[in-house]
Amino acid sequence: MDINFSELSASQRYHVMTQVIVPRPVAWVLTDNGLDSEHVSLQDKPLSAYNLAPYSYFNAISSEPPLVILSIGNKSSAELKDTRTNLREGRAAVIHIASDEDAALVSQTAATLAHGDSEVARAGLQLSYNDNWQLPRLTCCKIAMLCRFYDEKEIGPHRQGLIFCEIEKVHVDEQVVSMDEKDRIKVDASKVKPLSRLGANEYASFGDIVTLSRPK
């Protein structure tokens, strides 16, 4: 079957792309809704202060500077999604790598809510706090990247946002970390069990690891 994208609508192209570009990593992104007093301490902020949403148009793009990219569309109302608004205004995010055990929670936080209606509060997720960082992270996730807004580009007629975020710190659960023979950090993916995205309503759990040496 040959599929000619010039003959498809944008929604049809989206459907095909999410069927064939698989698996995709999932960024579970926490940002600040900016609705409560700046005088409230981080630990005293309610769960409703935070927005949480998954994005599978996501990946690493550079290590110097250390950048990841999020591709964020708009709500059905054509309003900007809360993650994008919050990044523009608060300029910080915590990008988590979710476990396949959290698939139902990840899917739950994909719901379209009014700005300030917190997915964190609705799901009853527990938060942990990082030293010298303005946002908490999800306790359930073994990997959390503490990021700053770096740049934004808009593409297409519907103002799709390409959001570049710079990683400043990475939190990795000590239970999934060891050191390799070159004294570098090695993350045990089999213990992280990262969730990945397929097409439509499908997710994929972690599979087998294949180790291959690079040719010289």
Side-chain angles (χ1 to χ4, degrees):
M1 175 185 290
D2 292 328
I3 303 172
N4 189 340
F5 267 37
S6 66
E7 299 172 354
L8 302 181
S9 67
S11 62
Q12 289 171 324
R13 291 193 292 268
Y14 172 82
H15 177 77
V16 173
M17 290 175 68
T18 56
Q19 293 289 321
V20 299
I21 303 173
V22 290
R24 301 185 304 282
V26 178
W28 209 7
V29 186
L30 184 143
T31 53
D32 193 318
N33 280 322
L35 299 180
D36 47 73
S37 171
E38 62 182 9
H39 302 295
V40 176
S41 68
L42 184 62
Q43 286 80 2
D44 291 334
K45 280 190 176 184
L47 295 180
S48 58
Y50 304 108
N51 179 268
L52 182 66
Y55 295 93
S56 68
Y57 276 25
F58 154 72
N59 222 314
I61 57 169
S62 170
S63 54
E64 185 58 43
L67 298 179
V68 296
I69 188 169
L70 299 166
S71 179
I72 303 178
N74 299 323
K75 297 181 180 181
S76 57
S77 62
E79 295 177 290
L80 297 184
K81 288 190 174 180
D82 295 346
T83 300
R84 189 173 172 190
T85 298
N86 294 347
L87 274 167
R88 281 178 164 184
E89 296 177 358
R91 309 191 74 80
V94 179
I95 300 177
H96 305 83
I97 301 300
S99 165
D100 56 22
E101 298 170 349
D102 295 321
L105 287 170
V106 171
S107 179
Q108 180 181 341
T109 60
T112 300
L113 305 177
H115 186 61
D117 190 351
S118 172
E119 298 83 358
V120 178
R122 285 196 174 211
L125 290 162
Q126 183 177 352
L127 301 177
S128 295
Y129 300 90
N130 307 282
D131 292 337
N132 302 316
W133 189 257
Q134 68 196 75
L135 293 173
R137 56 181 168 80
L138 300 176
T139 305
C140 63
C141 291
K142 295 179 175 62
I143 296 175
M145 292 168 278
L146 284 53
C147 302
R148 298 278 184 199
F149 177 90
Y150 182 83
D151 199 2
E152 176 184 11
K153 304 294 181 184
E154 285 190 349
I155 57 173
H158 301 295
R159 299 169 59 207
Q160 182 85 9
L162 302 183
I163 313 297
F164 300 87
C165 294
E166 182 171 3
I167 302 171
E168 292 199 359
K169 299 180 182 180
V170 178
H171 170 84
V172 185
D173 190 311
E174 292 183 359
Q175 295 182 1
V176 305
V177 174
S178 61
M179 305 302 291
D180 67 11
E181 65 280 359
K182 296 182 180 180
D183 202 30
R184 300 175 302 185
I185 290 174
K186 176 175 173 53
V187 175
D188 188 339
S190 67
K191 292 181 179 178
V192 177
K193 297 187 291 184
L195 181 69
S196 61
R197 193 75 165 88
L198 304 177
N201 296 321
E202 297 177 334
Y203 291 82
S205 58
F206 191 67
D208 297 332
I209 296 176
V210 178
T211 301
L212 300 172
S213 298
R214 292 184 63 178
K216 296 181 180 181

